[in-house]
Amino acid sequence: MADTGSKRKREDGKHVGFGKLILFGEHFVVYKVPALVAAVADYTECSVKISEGKGVTIIDERPAVPGYKVEKKDEGDQATALVLKHLAVDTETQAVEVTFGGNLTAVSGIGASAAACVSLARATASALGKEMTEEEVNAAGYEGEKGYHGTPSGIDNTAATYGGCLRVQRT
């Protein structure tokens, strides 16, 4: 399990989002019933470069199960666009290069999409010179999760943001 004191920014300047395991109540959160989730030590890391130009380039160096990245590419692109929009990055007037890495395997069920969204939010804020609270990072991660899940429960991005073992309940 990830230590809640773990760095959310690595020494090499990359920003992280944790993977997760839902311990109890996987779909409970959708119905506003509490669930227990634990972040895992594995993480997705992200770095972002913003420059003159336009468009988004995504370099995905995460380990993955065969076919996952191809199958989820459109959803991942949408999630990236939603996080960038949430953080007021205009990709029509700014070129954005996003690089994902880390040791969290890209696969369904471990919170890989949320970890990517959260690490992207942190890295983008850093590239913009913005300070963000964990609540603001979580909100940006939630917006990105809409690209993958339409109406996410919020449990994955919460675990990816805060780490540790959490009781999560929608209000």
Side-chain angles (χ1 to χ4, degrees), residues 16-95:
V16 303
F18 300 106
K20 61 83 176 136
L21 294 172
I22 297 176
L23 304 174
F24 182 75
E26 183 163 356
H27 295 286
F28 287 15
V29 177
V30 174
Y31 301 103
K32 299 183 179 179
V33 175
L36 294 177
V37 62
V40 297
D42 289 353
Y43 57 86
T44 295
E45 62 187 18
C46 184
S47 62
V48 170
K49 296 177 186 171
I50 299 176
S51 60
E52 292 183 18
K54 69 179 190 175
V56 178
T57 302
I58 300 172
I59 302 162
D60 192 344
E61 299 174 342
R62 298 175 296 165
V65 297
Y68 179 87
K69 292 180 190 178
V70 172
E71 179 183 329
K72 299 290 186 175
K73 183 184 182 323
D74 290 343
E75 294 171 7
D77 290 349
Q78 180 66 20
T80 297
L82 288 168
V83 171
L84 294 174
K85 180 179 177 184
H86 182 79
L87 297 176
V89 176
D90 182 357
T91 58
E92 292 297 316
T93 62
Q94 297 171 297

Side-chain angles (χ1 to χ4, degrees), residues 6 14 36:
S6 294
K14 294 181 179 175
L36 294 177

Side-chain angles (χ1 to χ4, degrees), residues 1 5 11 18 22 30 86 102 114 130 135 148 151:
M1 179 176 4
E11 290 178 15
F18 300 106
I22 297 176
V30 174
H86 182 79
K130 288 184 177 180
E135 280 186 21
Y148 284 97
T151 306

